Amino acid sequence: MLELQNICWTASDGKEVLKNISLKIRDNRLIAITGPNGGGKTTLARLLMGIEKPTSGRIYMDGLDITDLDVTERARKGISFAFQQPVRFKGITVRQMIETAAGETMSQESLCAILQKVGLCAKDYLDRDIDATLSGGEIKRIEIASVLARHTQLTIFDEPEAGIDLWSFQNLIQAFEEMRSNLDGTLVIISHQERILQIADEIIMIADGTVADRGPGPEMVAKMLESERASSKCCSRKEFF
């Protein structure tokens, strides 16, 4: 189980981004974190991965205090993170990145299956370097594939839909649905996208640095849709905020 106790985080300019957040998240669940831009969602995800450290409060995973562990130590404890804007690695091929993430040499069939989940053809990508020749969308999908290959206890995706075309997004939804049906740990997805929220076991809404609401996925989606109708606002991308 993942537990956050009284988490606060203040930016270098003095802005209080997260304000006394306490959460308990059970294992084997797909958790979607949503809310308005600037509300603190990505900051919370970065705190879970150890990219940032809380100003105050503690973070526990299965009863172990991981608050002071750095990114590498948390990765060893079984935490994966997919950035909203992935980094590029000159001189490393797609095959090498996925196998490094998996911690083993993989068969061609297994590599193909993982890349197919994110809408990429293995024969076109496995031996390509992860450099400037790849588009932002391609890099994003390759990073997601590497995270899928790790099968970690806690997997965090920061807005995985960003920069991905519609066809690839359909494949991504199917990959998340498959992960949800075979979960052995916790899957946390930061997202505004209705399709992702609809498959969540639980939705947590973060606004103004606090937990504004949380509840079962279907119940929260219905509540947000009703709120949208009441405010007479329409969003063509089917985002809630």
Side-chain angles (χ1 to χ4, degrees):
M1 182 171 68
L2 182 66
E3 182 176 0
L4 285 70
Q5 294 183 355
N6 308 113
I7 294 296
C8 298
W9 188 81
T10 302
S12 58
D13 62 2
K15 180 182 178 182
E16 192 177 14
V17 178
L18 295 178
K19 308 168 186 177
N20 202 40
I21 287 183
S22 293
L23 288 169
K24 288 184 178 180
I25 298 174
R26 289 183 290 145
D27 292 339
N28 304 325
R29 295 171 68 80
L30 191 162
I31 308 297
I33 298 179
T34 192
N37 291 328
K41 304 182 303 297
T42 291
T43 298
L44 181 59
R46 291 169 68 87
L47 286 171
L48 293 177
M49 188 65 235
I51 299 168
E52 303 286 354
K53 296 293 178 66
T55 306
S56 61
R58 312 303 295 177
I59 302 172
Y60 297 88
M61 189 167 74
D62 291 340
L64 175 68
D65 188 342
I66 64 171
T67 312
D68 297 322
L69 300 185
D70 61 23
V71 172
T72 301
E73 291 170 320
R74 293 195 197 194
R76 289 172 179 159
K77 293 293 183 183
I79 303 177
S80 295
F81 187 91
F83 290 88
Q84 186 175 346
Q85 298 295 331
V87 296
R88 298 173 186 268
F89 299 93
K90 185 177 180 180
I92 297 178
T93 66
V94 173
R95 181 193 301 271
Q96 289 170 330
M97 182 172 178
I98 295 176
E99 289 186 336
T100 298
E104 62 181 3
T105 300
M106 300 176 66
S107 68
Q108 191 83 0
E109 183 180 0
S110 296
L111 289 164
C112 289
I114 288 176
L115 286 175
Q116 187 176 25
K117 288 179 180 179
V118 295
L120 295 178
C121 177
K123 69 177 182 179
D124 295 333
Y125 286 94
L126 280 178
D127 297 317
R128 290 184 62 177
D129 283 350
I130 304 174
D131 56 19
T133 64
L134 294 170
S135 70
E138 288 171 324
I139 291 286
K140 184 67 174 286
R141 284 181 276 174
I142 290 165
E143 184 193 42
I144 292 171
S146 68
V147 170
L148 293 176
R150 287 201 69 203
H151 303 293
T152 46
Q153 183 178 349
L154 172 60
T155 307
I156 307 162
F157 291 91
D158 187 9
E159 297 195 26
E161 70 272 18
I164 291 184
D165 60 83
L166 181 60
W167 186 81
S168 297
F169 178 69
Q170 300 298 334
N171 282 277
L172 185 61
I173 291 293
Q174 291 177 6
F176 285 148
E177 289 177 330
E178 181 180 334
M179 290 177 71
R180 179 176 179 267
S181 64
N182 297 286
L183 272 177
D184 184 18
T186 304
L187 180 61
V188 175
I189 305 176
I190 312 296
S191 182
H192 294 287
Q193 234 292 334
E194 182 181 342
R195 284 288 308 281
I196 290 177
L197 300 184
Q198 286 176 337
I199 65 173
D201 294 303
E202 183 177 6
I203 296 174
I204 299 170
M205 186 182 298
I206 302 293
D208 192 29
T210 65
V211 178
D213 201 0
R214 70 179 296 182
E219 178 183 309
M220 288 290 291
V221 169
K223 185 185 296 187
M224 288 185 282
L225 289 173
E226 180 59 32
S227 176
E228 283 289 292
R229 285 192 290 267
S231 61
S232 300
K233 292 180 180 179
C234 179
C235 180
S236 61
R237 288 178 62 194
K238 291 189 177 181
E239 291 179 351
F240 289 117
F241 299 94

